[in-house]
Amino acid sequence: MRLLFLGDIVGRSGREGVLRHLPDLKARLKPDFIVVNGENAAGGFGITEKIAEELFAAGVDCVTLGNHAWDQKELLGQIGRLPQLVRPINYPEGTPGRGFTILPAKNGRHKVMVINAMGRVFMDPLDDPFPPVEKVLNIHRLGGARMGPAGVDAIIMDMHAEASSEKMIMGHVLDGRVSLVVGTHCHVPTADLQILNGGTAYQTDAGMCGDYDTVIGMKKEAAIYKMLRKTPGERYSPGENDATVSVCGVFVETDDRTGLAKRAEPVRVGGRLGQSLPAA
């Protein structure tokens, strides 16, 4: 199976960048399943049902979230009716939405599970992400129908975290049990995409889909002012220079029998970053 994961969409320019490049990525890579992190898609802060539906209409199969999940308050009442929208699994019990979902692949033959978890190092206080992830993986195992009715053909884990070590630990803990562990939140693509010893593809951070002539997606003037002056300035807002918008992520091809990765390549298209487009 072919899996495409795109990092954090930041603001209008990031959304438009994804919508602009996605048709070519679909035609070239023929992904069976597409995931994007959308927690900064609405003006840099959260996501709305309308934006999520626009992404689904463009061919995105699942959208993951993170620490900005509830910045658009109306989502609290909307997320329950969107099975393709996944918030971190380690939010407290009773939080609206779901921490994982199982959806059909585009080929109609496979089932894909997507898990979203949030780190705790340098992040808002939250429940430990490891126990709920273990609980889900004890029920739904990689390997498809041969693992029984709860078996799935691919598992994608979005680890939304600040600390690279915390993301790496999740990767090693889940190695051999999921298809891909990929980090989000830092908005900078890391150069460590690899297939771990047990067959799980891993990258510490997928990078963002947004304007890179910024400070992690936000207009640089406000960020520079606040850093140098140590006083409040104008409110942060996403960069809007379409010419410097890059779409970043990772492409993984799995073994249909095991669900583990046999190929993993970075995706960087558009903007000013060095381009990386996997072979068809």
Side-chain angles (χ1 to χ4, degrees):
M1 198 168 1
R2 292 180 162 216
L3 311 173
L4 177 63
F5 183 98
L6 300 179
D8 311 50
I9 297 175
V10 181
R12 175 202 57 79
S13 61
R15 298 196 311 269
E16 292 182 354
V18 168
L19 296 176
R20 183 166 59 249
H21 289 286
L22 199 53
D24 182 63
L25 290 172
K26 290 194 298 183
R28 181 183 182 90
L29 302 177
K30 297 178 175 57
D32 297 297
F33 201 83
I34 302 171
V35 181
V36 302
N37 183 288
E39 72 131 14
N40 300 120
F45 300 95
I47 193 170
T48 64
E49 182 178 28
K50 179 181 178 182
I51 291 173
E53 294 289 3
E54 288 175 352
L55 294 170
F56 300 146
V60 172
D61 297 287
C62 184
V63 173
T64 53
L65 299 173
N67 58 302
H68 289 291
W70 313 120
D71 285 4
Q72 304 296 321
K73 299 294 191 294
E74 64 267 32
L75 191 68
L76 285 164
Q78 299 168 343
I79 193 169
R81 59 176 179 257
L82 295 170
Q84 315 99 308
L85 191 58
V86 185
R87 48 84 172 157
I89 197 170
N90 51 322
Y91 274 117
E93 186 175 351
T95 301
R98 57 195 57 76
F100 76 96
T101 191
I102 298 174
L103 298 167
K106 296 183 191 302
N107 59 28
R109 295 180 290 107
H110 295 130
K111 295 186 296 182
V112 180
M113 183 163 73
V114 180
I115 310 173
N116 189 192
M118 195 157 81
R120 297 192 295 175
V121 180
F122 310 127
M123 300 283 282
D124 295 336
L126 210 60
D127 296 343
D128 185 351
F130 291 92
V133 171
E134 288 289 348
K135 181 178 179 180
V136 169
L137 292 180
N138 284 335
I139 299 171
H140 301 284
R141 298 178 182 273
L142 196 59
R146 68 188 182 88
M147 303 305 293
V152 292
D153 299 285
I155 301 175
I156 299 169
M157 170 75 191
D158 175 354
M159 183 61 176
H160 196 79
E162 184 77 35
S164 56
S165 57
E166 194 173 18
K167 299 177 187 181
M168 290 178 181
I169 289 168
M170 183 64 80
H172 289 299
V173 167
L174 301 188
D175 186 22
R177 295 189 287 161
V178 305
S179 310
L180 168 66
V181 174
V182 59
T184 56
H185 179 67
C186 292
H187 295 191
V188 178
T190 56
D192 62 339
L193 179 57
Q194 59 190 292
I195 297 177
L196 301 176
N197 294 340
T200 293
Y202 172 83
Q203 185 173 5
T204 297
D205 203 285
M208 70 173 175
C209 300
D211 182 0
Y212 276 82
D213 187 22
T214 58
V215 175
I216 59 172
M218 297 297 167
K219 290 179 180 177
K220 57 190 176 185
E221 294 80 9
I224 292 169
Y225 181 92
K226 184 174 181 180
M227 179 67 71
L228 297 185
R229 300 295 184 92
K230 300 300 181 185
T231 56
E234 65 177 279
R235 187 177 185 271
Y236 287 161
S237 60
E240 298 175 340
N241 185 354
D242 291 341
T244 50
V245 169
S246 293
V247 169
C248 295
V250 56
F251 173 73
V252 175
E253 190 171 357
T254 64
D255 184 306
D256 280 346
R257 186 180 65 84
T258 65
L260 295 171
K262 61 181 183 180
R263 175 188 176 196
E265 295 187 48
V267 173
R268 292 190 303 275
V269 294
R272 60 169 51 167
L273 297 189
Q275 306 294 283
S276 180
L277 189 58

